[in-house]
C-alpha cells in the first residue's frame, strides 16, 4: 500500500508535469506559427527575447527535437506516476486501463489541446516569453537532444523525408 504522503506527492508531481506538458505544447505552436519576418522585425528592434527566439529558430529541427523530447519525457512520467498511484488501489489490469484513460484525457485536454489553442492565439507574446526558458531546457536536455537530432536527421534522409518540415505553414504573403 502507498504511504499516505506519497499520494499527495504523486498528485502534485502529476500537476507540475501537466503544466510542463502545457508549456512545451503551447511553445511549439506559438513558435512555429510565427512568420519569420515578424520575428526578424522584433529582433531588429532590439528586443533581447526576440533575438533569443530568432537564435532558437535558426535550427528549427533542433528546436522541434528539444520541444518533443521535453514533452514526451513529461507525458510518459505523467502516465507512469498515474499508473503507480492507481496500482495501489486497483488490480494491475484495471490500474493500467484507468491510468491510460485518465492520463490520456488529462494530457490531451490540459497538456495539448488547450495549450496549443493558447499558443496559437497568443503566438508572438508567448513565443517571446518562453524563448529564454526553452534555451535553458535545450541546454539541460542537450545529450538527449543531440542524440535524437542526429538520429532523426539521418533516418529522415534515409527515407527521403523533407528536411524543412519544421518551417511554418505559410505562403509568401504570410497567409
Amino acid at each position: 500500500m502507498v504511504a499516505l504522503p506519497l499520494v499527495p506527492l504523486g498528485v502534485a508531481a502529476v500537476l507540475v508535469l501537466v503544466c510542463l506538458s502545457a508549456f512545451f505544447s503551447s511553445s511549439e505552436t506559438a513558435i512555429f506559427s510565427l512568420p519569420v519576418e515578424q520575428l526578424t522585425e522584433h529582433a531588429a528592434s532590439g528586443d533581447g527575447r526576440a533575438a533569443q527566439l530568432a537564435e532558437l529558430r535558426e535550427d528549427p529541427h533542433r528546436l522541434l527535437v528539444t520541444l518533443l523530447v521535453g514533452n514526451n519525457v513529461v507525458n510518459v512520467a505523467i502516465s507512469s506516476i498515474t499508473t503507480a498511484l492507481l496500482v495501489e488501489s486497483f488490480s494491475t489490469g484495471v490500474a493500467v486501463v484507468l491510468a491510460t484513460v485518465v492520463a490520456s484525457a488529462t494530457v490531451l485536454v490540459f497538456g495539448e489541446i488547450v495549450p496549443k489553442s493558447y499558443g496559437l492565439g497568443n503566438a508572438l507574446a508567448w513565443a517571446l516569453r518562453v524563448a529564454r526558458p526553452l534555451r535553458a531546457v535545450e541546454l539541460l536536455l542537450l545529450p538527449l537532444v543531440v542524440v535524437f537530432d542526429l538520429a532523426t536527421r539521418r533516418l529522415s534522409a534515409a527515407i527521403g523525408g523533407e528536411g524543412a518540415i519544421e518551417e511554418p505553414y505559410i505562403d509568401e504573403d504570410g497567409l
Side-chain angles (χ1 to χ4, degrees), residues 120-160:
L120 192 58
N122 301 282
L124 181 60
W126 188 243
L128 292 173
R129 179 181 255 179
V130 300
R132 286 190 176 114
L134 279 177
R135 180 66 179 137
V137 168
E138 182 180 55
L139 293 173
L140 180 69
L141 298 177
L142 192 60
L144 285 173
V145 170
V146 168
V147 168
F148 284 109
D149 186 26
L150 291 172
T152 56
R153 285 180 197 266
R154 288 189 177 147
L155 182 58
S156 185
I159 62 172

Side-chain angles (χ1 to χ4, degrees), residues 22-132:
F23 169 79
F24 288 118
S25 295
S26 61
S27 299
E28 177 187 349
T29 300
I31 292 169
F32 286 108
S33 69
L34 277 179
V36 175
E37 298 80 22
Q38 185 179 18
L39 180 56
T40 305
E41 284 177 26
H42 277 279
S45 74
D47 186 338
R49 298 173 308 159
Q52 181 85 58
L53 185 57
E55 185 179 315
L56 287 169
R57 281 289 304 267
E58 285 177 6
D59 189 346
H61 187 267
R62 167 79 49 102
L63 176 58
L64 184 63
V65 169
T66 299
L67 290 163
L68 293 176
V69 166
N71 208 15
N72 278 280
V73 167
V74 163
N75 291 344
V76 169
I78 290 168
S79 181
S80 298
I81 293 169
T82 302
T83 303
L85 291 172
L86 291 173
V87 81
E88 293 300 321
S89 299
F90 300 95
S91 69
T92 304
V94 172
V96 168
V97 170
L98 282 174
T100 300
V101 171
V102 170
S104 294
T106 301
V107 167
L108 278 171
V109 173
F110 300 107
E112 294 289 337
I113 298 168
V114 171
K116 286 184 182 228
S117 294
Y118 178 84
L120 192 58
N122 301 282
L124 181 60
W126 188 243
L128 292 173
R129 179 181 255 179
V130 300
R132 286 190 176 114

Side-chain angles (χ1 to χ4, degrees), residues 2-17 77-78 81-82 85:
V2 171
L4 187 57
L6 288 182
V7 172
L9 286 175
V11 171
V14 167
L15 291 173
V16 168
L17 291 167
I78 290 168
I81 293 169
T82 302
L85 291 172

